[in-house]
Amino acid sequence: PMPGMGMQKFTAHHEAEVKRWVAFLTEIGYLVPEPAPEPTKVAEAAPPAPTTMPDLGPDVQVEQRDNMIVLTISSDVLFDSGESSLKTTAKKTLDKVVAEIKKQYPNKQIRVAGFTDQDPIKSSSYKSNYHLGFDRTYNVAKYLETKGIDKDLLERLTLDL
């Protein structure tokens, strides 16, 4: 810095001097200002997702959590105890759910989550509740696919509680 000038005064003086030189050189045609950059186009946001779903019957609980719609269907509605094959009546319930998903949430990510309890497995077909939950989750997701839900939009999650 110059003697007797604090760093802030020198910096402010220096910046002012540079601006005067740039203005002078631009005025005489020595510097040509760059054109302003085009504004970046940001994709338009999709309209907000509906926050409610119609009544899907007594077997389906619907709730809003953060930015998600969460549907809960009790396992006894979908499966017989210790089994992973969907009940015939479960398919009717899932058909209602699929119709609403296609209508209100086309092309949205769907998470199929299977939860199991801590009761010991009594069936020899499954090593653990986790394995039973896995097959149940897989079968629900597979059924959704057969009803036209894109498999690439389906996320499968199994939790052993």
Side-chain angles (χ1 to χ4, degrees), residues 1 21-22 24 32 41 50 84 96 101 104 106 113 125 134 149 158:
W21 273 105
V22 168
F24 171 73
V32 179
K41 270 197 167 179
S84 64
K96 288 186 222 174
I101 289 171
Q104 293 194 50
S125 345
F134 177 88
I149 302 293
T158 304

Side-chain angles (χ1 to χ4, degrees), residues 96-114:
K96 288 186 222 174
V97 170
V98 167
E100 285 305 312
I101 289 171
K102 286 179 168 181
K103 186 166 116 182
Q104 293 194 50
Y105 303 98
N107 304 315
K108 296 290 183 191
Q109 191 74 34
I110 299 166
R111 179 180 299 149
V112 178

Side-chain angles (χ1 to χ4, degrees), residues 2 14-15 17 20 25 32 46 48 51 55 59 62 71 74 76 89 95 97 121 129 133 139 155-156:
M2 297 171 74
H14 185 303
E15 286 177 19
E17 193 63 32
R20 278 196 296 274
L25 293 173
V32 179
T51 57
D55 183 14
D59 298 329
V62 181
L71 306 178
S74 177
D76 61 334
T89 54
D95 289 345
V97 170
I121 284 287
N129 278 328
N139 287 337
E155 178 183 339
R156 294 159 183 87

Side-chain angles (χ1 to χ4, degrees), residues 33-109:
E34 291 183 23
E38 289 290 318
T40 304
K41 270 197 167 179
V42 177
E44 289 183 29
T51 57
T52 61
M53 288 187 91
D55 183 14
L56 296 171
D59 298 329
V60 182
Q61 286 73 50
V62 181
E63 65 181 289
Q64 175 87 30
R65 287 190 205 156
D66 299 321
N67 62 347
M68 297 183 295
I69 299 291
V70 178
L71 306 178
T72 304
I73 306 171
S74 177
S75 65
D76 61 334
V77 171
L78 298 174
F79 309 99
D80 287 323
S81 179
E83 299 297 322
S84 64
S85 298
L86 287 167
K87 291 180 178 180
T88 304
T89 54
K91 293 176 181 180
K92 291 176 185 173
T93 300
L94 289 173
D95 289 345
K96 288 186 222 174
V97 170
V98 167
E100 285 305 312
I101 289 171
K102 286 179 168 181
K103 186 166 116 182
Q104 293 194 50
Y105 303 98
N107 304 315
K108 296 290 183 191
Q109 191 74 34

